[in-house]
Amino acid sequence: MKRARFQLKVTHMLIRRHLVAAWVLLPAAAVSAGVSITAAWSGDFRSVAVYLAAGMLPVMCGFAFLSVLLHRRTRDTLKLAGDELFSLRKDREQLIKFNASIISIAENLHPSKVLQRVTQELIDLHSADLCLILQFQEHSRSFVTISQYARSKRDIDLDSLNVFLRVLGVSDDSALKPRIIKQGSNETNDRYMDNVFGGAVPWVLMVPMVYQGRSLGVIVIHSDNDGPTDILRTELTRVVAHQAAVALNHAQLFQKAQDEIRKRAETEDELYQIAFHDSLTGLPNRSFFLDRLNRAFGRGKRDEDFFYAVVYFDCDNFKYINDSLGHQAGDEVLCQITDRIKEELRPSDTFARIGGDEFVILFEGLTKTEDVYFVLSRIQKKAVLPMEVMGKELVVSVSIGVALCHSHYSHPQELLRDADIAMYRAKMRSKGSFEIFDKDMRATIVRHMEVESRLRRALEFGELSTVYQPIVDLSTEELAGFEALVRWNSESGDMYPDEFIPVAEKCGLVGRIDRFTMMNALSQLQSWMNQGLVGDRFFLSVNLSSSHFEQKAPSFEWIAEAIEQFGIRPRQLHLEITETSMMKNIHEASSRVKYLKSLGVEVKVDDFGTGYSSLTYLARLNADSIKIDKSFVMNLAHEGNQAIVRSIISLSKDMGMSCVAEGVETAEHLEFLRSLGCQYGQGYFFSKPVPPAQAQLTFFSAKHPPVPG
Ligand code: C2E
Ligand code: MG
Ligand code: MG
């Protein structure tokens, strides 16, 4: 607009100047030309020259005068025009800058920085003191400052400004036009302007930031002096406000998209955590572990120098913790064990929980087998340290099995299986130990597992029975009692106690077997007594397994109850406990023997001679009787065995204990034992263990003497 006005002005001035020149010079030139033409016509060419000179002189003078006159006016006009031109250039430069800012606002997804610059430029544009850009918050329905610039320090009362904007209706989508509020225009406005800006201001410009008919905020500008603002500046500010609104909208959309992406990423993380981790310990689960194992397996197949190992472990007696202290305590134990073991591992090791108390570790990139041993012994030492669980101090050991990578494996799961087998083996050997897998181990363990599952069925379906083997008084050759022994007659063939009793010991089934045999035996004894076949000095020997014997004293109460239930004399029940289990902890063993003896039963040290017990230990046990292990008696041909048997018999006499020789197979054995004064004998020479009906028929019928000769 300014430029058009300026062009009009210059054109007008030039036209005026030429008109003046035409009025003065044209008549003079015309007169001089007319006189000269007349003189030429008459042939007086000298006069022509004179007339022309006379005519041109005033013209020249006129020109000179006019040029002096005109020159000064032109200079003034041109200076004015120049000033205007300069101001126009400034405006133009400012506009160009503004334009750049406007474009950059809308292009920027984080507009706050750009808006900061814009506030400064708006202040320059309006020659103002303060510019605020406020954003409207839907949830609180109030404006917050997103950009602010002031020429001098200012404290804006944002609450009052919010009230003011509400009064003006700026937050309403209907009030979308810029507004200039001048001091003195309205008393209420003046008061608000005072409140907000801390003093009187001549004018305040409020330009809503509108996008698609929605007010997203407002630009507030004011000046302390009565300087400009005009329609052009207001219009420019409106454009800026629109761009800012576009930018804010984009920024909001961008922010929403970012939030959405973040939420999705979080959800994905959560799902991943749930799918591949154990919720209690936070450790990876079986799927995660198998994935890692698959990768290691693949790498091992490609690179024969790549060494890895699978470690399988669980907490010993964890069931006991769960049953006695509750599941919460069990969970606590698992978490504490997890934390302790984590500390011993490298970031490259994969440590996972794959079942109740079952954990696995995948060691990758090891340089030698010994590395595994070092870590495992550290783990075991750490695991076994006392831990406080629900106010109680517990000691939990872990049994560990290891499978090392090997070319014969054709599937990764086989390593896991073998590590599990090795762990089972470690547990059988001694709790809290570790075992490295080898092939023989697999065969044994597989057999054990098979026996265990079959045994459970056997107990359930009544496949067990009791047989009786006579124990003979060697001095009178009379039947003194029987040893009750368990038998397992299964469809798939008989199985002998030497094979299944050790398995039953390990898997905790032996207690049930002991009870079964004891109840059968006592009920049988009661029946024989009721029939008058045996007297009250006749006894039955029943075996008590080592794990059963190693329990605390109260666990024997059922024995007293059984004695009472079947109405036999306690002395008629003999309990056989192997020397090996008694010698494990002599102190505990002697107190248990004492307890059992207090019930009135007789206690025998079974399989004596195999447990390397010292004389002191034997004396402390205070048992009633010794049973010489059959391996010595059956092989009496060896002189060494004769010496052993001789000394055991003499030892028992010295200690005031009775003595039973097992494994009497021949008349020579009988003779030898009798010559040494051994009190009792048991063996195939007298009879193999037989079922109760046969025992009754053989040993209690009138036709057959009680003791074979
Ligand atoms: P044990 O208590 O030492 O029982 C004696 C074992 O020697 C019996 O084997 C018996 O049949 C065998 N035997 C007896 N005389 C001779 C002989 O002259 N020659 C030979 N070669 N063997 C003879 P069995 O019945 O196979 O029992 C083996 C072991 O199983 C028992 O040894 C005992 O430790 C355990 N056992 C058997 N029944 C039970 C039971 O109900 N509970 C527990 N805890 N263990 C039992
Ligand atoms: Mg026995
Ligand atoms: Mg024995």
Side-chain angles (χ1 to χ4, degrees):
M1 260 204 21
K2 263 190 171 179
R3 175 200 282 258
R5 245 186 6 226
F6 174 74
Q7 277 175 349
L8 246 163
K9 231 174 184 173
V10 172
T11 319
H12 188 233
M13 182 195 77
L14 287 174
I15 292 169
R16 257 196 352 210
R17 203 187 296 168
H18 284 95
L19 279 177
V20 172
W23 279 113
V24 177
L25 299 178
L26 282 180
V31 171
S32 148
V35 175
S36 302
I37 290 164
T38 318
W41 192 261
S42 60
D44 187 358
F45 289 104
R46 209 186 296 162
S47 299
V48 170
V50 173
Y51 285 128
L52 269 177
M56 287 311 285
L57 190 67
V59 171
M60 298 302 278
C61 290
F63 262 118
F65 171 74
L66 272 172
S67 92
V68 170
L69 191 78
L70 287 175
H71 187 63
R72 194 186 295 147
R73 292 187 64 186
T74 309
R75 229 174 39 204
D76 291 348
T77 314
L78 281 177
K79 187 175 177 299
L80 244 167
D83 285 351
E84 273 195 58
L85 197 64
F86 182 72
S87 139
L88 273 174
R89 231 177 78 188
K90 244 180 85 184
D91 282 0
R92 195 166 152 262
E93 278 168 6
Q94 205 176 30
L95 274 174
I96 290 168
K97 246 169 77 181
F98 233 82
N99 197 32
S101 294
I102 287 167
I103 290 166
S104 68
I105 301 172
E107 279 174 354
N108 213 304
L109 287 173
H110 301 285
S112 53
K113 271 192 195 155
V114 190
L115 291 179
Q116 189 61 41
R117 199 175 69 227
V118 169
T119 48
Q120 292 176 32
E121 285 171 7
L122 285 171
I123 280 184
D124 288 346
L125 179 74
H126 291 277
S127 306
D129 295 298
L130 172 75
C131 175
L132 294 170
I133 300 185
L134 306 167
Q135 188 175 4
F136 188 63
Q137 307 261 303
E138 277 294 340
H139 60 276
S140 60
R141 302 214 50 81
S142 62
F143 291 91
V144 292
T145 313
I146 53 170
S147 179
Q148 173 175 0
Y149 189 78
R151 284 197 198 279
S152 54
K153 193 178 172 317
R154 274 190 181 275
D155 292 323
I156 307 298
D157 184 347
L158 197 62
D159 291 338
S160 303
L161 179 57
N162 261 296
V163 178
F164 188 24
L165 291 168
R166 217 168 292 143
V167 169
L168 295 172
V170 177
S171 56
D172 303 342
D173 288 348
S174 53
L176 301 178
K177 289 208 175 100
R179 297 181 64 168
I180 298 178
I181 298 136
K182 292 208 165 129
Q183 189 79 33
S185 60
N186 173 324
E187 206 178 300
T188 320
N189 289 349
D190 289 356
R191 211 172 52 242
Y192 275 122
M193 279 154 72
D194 285 359
N195 281 349
V196 175
F197 304 109
V201 283
W203 54 263
V204 174
L205 172 64
M206 305 218 178
V207 186
M209 300 195 290
V210 181
Y211 180 74
Q212 293 187 340
R214 218 156 47 89
S215 171
L216 301 185
V218 63
I219 296 177
V220 178
I221 299 166
H222 82 67
S223 172
D224 266 354
N225 55 54
D226 215 353
T229 200
D230 55 17
I231 293 173
L232 174 72
R233 289 178 172 85
T234 308
E235 267 309 295
L236 275 172
T237 311
R238 204 175 62 79
V239 176
V240 171
H242 173 69
Q243 290 299 97
V246 172
L248 283 180
N249 187 58
H250 284 186
Q252 278 171 357
L253 289 178
F254 178 69
Q255 194 52 47
K256 267 189 195 162
Q258 292 295 309
D259 289 350
E260 189 62 27
I261 290 167
R262 206 192 59 248
K263 266 190 212 150
R264 278 186 186 204
E266 281 171 6
T267 316
E268 266 173 34
D269 283 353
E270 268 172 38
L271 285 175
Y272 180 80
Q273 186 71 17
I274 292 166
F276 293 105
H277 288 80
D278 158 48
S279 58
L280 176 69
T281 58
L283 287 176
N285 62 11
R286 179 183 281 271
S287 316
F288 186 102
F289 183 82
L290 286 179
D291 180 60
R292 287 290 165 92
L293 179 59
N294 279 343
R295 280 194 238 171
F297 184 81
R299 192 168 160 200
K301 287 279 171 206
R302 290 189 302 275
D303 172 7
E304 59 180 28
D305 291 333
F306 178 67
F307 180 70
Y308 63 98
V310 174
V311 168
Y312 204 113
F313 69 90
D314 74 6
C315 305
D316 299 323
N317 302 324
F318 184 70
K319 191 178 167 336
Y320 171 75
I321 296 171
N322 256 349
D323 292 350
S324 56
L325 300 176
H327 286 265
Q328 207 182 331
D331 288 354
E332 181 66 36
V333 167
L334 295 177
C335 291
Q336 289 202 32
I337 290 275
T338 302
D339 291 344
R340 288 177 182 195
I341 288 169
K342 262 190 199 164
E343 286 170 13
E344 298 303 322
L345 302 176
R346 304 166 306 168
S348 58
D349 303 329
T350 308
F351 177 27
R353 178 177 173 224
I354 59 167
D357 66 330
E358 290 171 340
F359 296 87
V360 281
I361 306 170
L362 173 66
F363 289 109
E364 288 179 79
L366 300 168
T367 44
K368 49 188 184 316
T369 324
E370 289 85 76
D371 290 353
V372 184
Y373 304 152
F374 290 136
V375 183
L376 296 187
S377 67
R378 280 210 311 272
I379 286 178
Q380 277 183 322
K381 276 190 199 132
K382 198 115 191 233
V384 87
L385 293 175
M387 60 172 82
E388 199 179 301
V389 175
M390 298 175 77
K392 285 198 167 59
E393 194 176 90
L394 294 181
V395 174
V396 181
S397 60
V398 292
S399 297
I400 303 179
V402 185
L404 302 171
C405 62
H406 200 282
S407 56
H408 67 67
Y409 284 117
S410 55
H411 197 278
Q413 295 257 20
E414 291 169 5
L415 277 117
L416 203 59
R417 175 201 64 197
D418 288 351
D420 187 10
I421 288 174
M423 180 192 77
Y424 190 76
R425 179 62 173 259
K427 245 185 216 311
M428 290 212 299
R429 190 162 55 94
S430 130
K431 294 206 161 109
S433 61
F434 74 84
E435 199 74 61
I436 309 264
F437 177 81
D438 66 49
K439 272 187 177 173
D440 294 342
M441 197 183 283
R442 188 186 302 150
T444 320
I445 298 292
V446 168
R447 176 74 182 149
H448 270 257
M449 286 176 169
E450 204 181 290
V451 171
E452 182 185 331
S453 67
R454 281 181 54 201
L455 189 58
R456 286 184 193 281
R457 275 177 54 85
L459 279 162
E460 210 173 309
F461 295 104
E463 289 179 4
L464 299 186
S465 63
T466 311
V467 290
Y468 299 87
Q469 186 175 33
I471 297 173
V472 177
D473 185 333
L474 297 185
S475 58
T476 60
E477 293 194 8
E478 278 180 2
L479 178 70
F482 285 126
E483 178 173 4
L485 295 156
V486 70
R487 284 293 174 269
W488 178 5
N489 319 102
S490 79
E491 280 176 7
S492 47
D494 291 351
M495 194 171 303
Y496 285 89
D498 279 338
E499 186 170 8
F500 70 82
I501 291 287
V503 177
E505 290 246 11
K506 296 296 172 194
C507 66
L509 291 175
V510 79
R512 285 173 68 184
I513 296 176
D514 284 356
R515 271 173 189 252
F516 170 83
T517 311
M518 171 98 65
M519 294 312 222
N520 264 0
L522 294 187
S523 124
Q524 191 59 65
L525 180 60
Q526 183 189 42
S527 151
W528 286 330
M529 284 180 73
N530 288 347
Q531 293 173 59
L533 297 173
V534 295
D536 59 10
R537 288 183 53 223
F538 188 86
F539 65 84
L540 277 187
S541 256
V542 180
N543 294 284
L544 207 59
S545 70
S546 53
S547 57
H548 203 154
F549 174 69
E550 284 158 24
Q551 286 176 18
K552 298 260 177 273
S555 65
F556 302 131
E557 272 168 14
W558 66 275
I559 298 174
E561 285 164 16
I563 293 169
E564 205 179 311
Q565 181 187 341
F566 295 106
I568 57 152
R569 288 180 56 218
R571 201 69 194 160
Q572 289 182 282
L573 176 63
H574 294 189
L575 294 177
E576 297 189 7
I577 300 146
T578 61
E579 182 195 11
T580 324
S581 67
M582 283 193 174
M583 292 308 151
K584 273 187 197 160
N585 182 337
I586 187 70
H587 176 72
E588 293 274 319
S590 52
S591 78
R592 282 173 199 145
V593 168
K594 194 173 167 198
Y595 178 83
L596 289 171
K597 284 179 75 173
S598 75
L599 301 178
V601 302
E602 194 174 306
V603 178
K604 288 176 167 165
V605 186
D606 202 357
D607 303 342
F608 190 80
T610 54
Y612 312 103
S613 55
S614 72
L615 287 181
T616 340
Y617 276 16
L618 193 61
R620 278 181 64 186
L621 268 181
N622 202 20
D624 299 291
S625 180
I626 292 178
K627 285 187 90 173
I628 308 172
D629 189 68
K630 57 179 179 288
S631 58
F632 303 110
V633 182
M634 281 159 50
N635 302 306
L636 272 176
H638 292 282
E639 277 192 22
N641 286 345
Q642 288 182 14
I644 291 171
V645 171
R646 192 179 294 118
S647 39
I648 296 175
I649 293 170
S650 111
L651 179 73
S652 65
K653 280 185 192 159
D654 293 347
M655 288 195 166
M657 299 162 90
S658 65
C659 182
V660 185
E662 287 182 323
V664 184
E665 291 189 342
T666 63
E668 287 76 30
H669 293 160
L670 174 62
E671 206 42 54
F672 180 78
L673 293 164
R674 208 184 259 157
S675 69
L676 292 174
C678 181
Q679 214 173 337
Y680 299 103
Q682 175 183 352
Y684 293 169
F685 178 72
F686 304 112
S687 166
K688 285 197 168 185
V690 291
Q694 194 182 334
Q696 185 170 332
L697 194 71
T698 310
F699 303 108
F700 304 137
S701 82
K703 280 187 217 158
H704 301 277
V707 181

